[in-house]
Amino acid sequence: MLHFLSFASFLLNTIAFVLLLLVTLSGLVIKGIYLVILPYVHEFGHDLRTGVLGFCQTDYGIETVTNCYGPHRGYTIPLDLVEADGLPLTITDMVDQPLTSVLILHPICAGLAVLCAIFSLFNTGRLLLGFAFSLAIWNSILVGVAFGLTLRRVQGIIEPYGGSAPWITLAAAILIWISMVLSAIKIWKCRRNRRKTVEQDYSKIDKKKGDLSFFS
């Protein structure tokens, strides 16, 4: 049972790491995955597809990437792009810089998922099991915050089109939450097995004492 729980937790955290890595690379490296599209730029022949660490400018008609900006934590739309396309200055207010800064939680959660996958392979040791469970708790909290941030609308009058990155983050969050539950079950099973072992040892000692008293 413990080996099954360890393998399941390892597998779930590994898949969650891959999903969070895809979201981290969204927009810049993986063009097909993005957080949102700013449709406000469609009138000028371009759209801006935002990711975790940057965004790319795409020709709206032929779906060709022209310029990418990043990787950078807490990115904004540069003024030279606004001036080159003749966009209104209000376009720079459509991306919330504090929000894009906190999106760094995605690679952090991906790294924690790797650690959780490694420590989930251990079935003995109170400190190791406790540390693995604490990592799982923290990662489940942080990935929940990351999912909430990816769902948050960028600010502006025109409502953006959502991409697939928030739902990929949700899938990773569900896997991490399930892994946390499995870690809790594994700790409970280990404590139960340890208690049974202690009770069996005490019963053997009592039996030996009874045999000695009989012969005496």
Side-chain angles (χ1 to χ4, degrees), residues 66-83:
T66 55
N67 293 306
C68 288
Y69 298 84
H72 189 270
R73 183 178 66 86
Y75 61 87
T76 56
I77 300 178
L79 290 177
D80 56 349
L81 175 62
V82 175
E83 295 174 354

Side-chain angles (χ1 to χ4, degrees), residues 105 109 138-150 169 173 176-177:
L105 284 176
C109 291
W138 277 108
N139 202 20
S140 63
I141 295 174
L142 292 178
V143 76
V145 174
F147 170 66
L149 290 175
T150 53
T169 305
I176 290 174
W177 293 335

Side-chain angles (χ1 to χ4, degrees), residues 11-203:
L11 184 62
L12 291 176
N13 280 290
T14 302
I15 298 175
F17 161 73
V18 174
L19 294 178
L20 291 172
L21 181 62
L22 293 177
V23 176
T24 302
L25 300 177
S26 63
L28 291 176
V29 180
I30 305 177
K31 305 299 189 298
I33 301 176
Y34 47 86
L35 297 175
V36 290
I37 293 179
L38 297 183
Y40 195 75
V41 198
H42 286 180
E43 301 174 4
F44 304 93
H46 301 289
D47 62 31
L48 301 180
R49 304 190 178 193
T50 63
V52 171
L53 298 176
F55 67 93
C56 287
Q57 182 184 19
T58 305
D59 189 282
Y60 184 59
I62 58 178
E63 293 289 332
T64 302
V65 176
T66 55
N67 293 306
C68 288
Y69 298 84
H72 189 270
R73 183 178 66 86
Y75 61 87
T76 56
I77 300 178
L79 290 177
D80 56 349
L81 175 62
V82 175
E83 295 174 354
D85 282 354
L87 304 176
L89 292 178
T90 54
I91 192 70
T92 58
D93 298 329
M94 293 180 66
V95 176
D96 188 5
Q97 186 174 10
L99 172 62
T100 57
S101 298
V102 184
L103 290 177
I104 197 68
L105 284 176
H106 290 81
I108 292 176
C109 291
L112 288 177
V114 174
L115 293 177
C116 290
I118 294 174
F119 283 100
S120 65
L121 297 176
F122 295 96
N123 293 327
T124 58
R126 293 184 180 181
L127 291 178
L128 287 176
L129 292 176
F131 181 70
F133 184 59
S134 63
L135 278 180
I137 292 177
W138 277 108
N139 202 20
S140 63
I141 295 174
L142 292 178
V143 76
V145 174
F147 170 66
L149 290 175
T150 53
L151 278 185
R152 177 179 173 180
R153 303 285 186 179
V154 290
Q155 298 178 0
I157 300 176
I158 304 298
E159 192 171 288
Y161 298 118
S164 58
W167 309 115
I168 296 177
T169 305
L170 175 61
I174 293 174
L175 296 179
I176 290 174
W177 293 335
I178 295 175
S179 173
M180 182 190 65
V181 174
L182 294 180
S183 297
I185 296 175
K186 186 169 69 171
I187 290 178
W188 175 75
K189 291 288 292 184
C190 287
R191 289 182 177 178
R192 185 180 179 184
N193 293 339
R194 190 181 300 113
R195 187 179 298 114
K196 285 184 177 180
T197 303
V198 172
E199 290 176 354
Q200 289 175 359
D201 292 338
Y202 276 119
S203 64

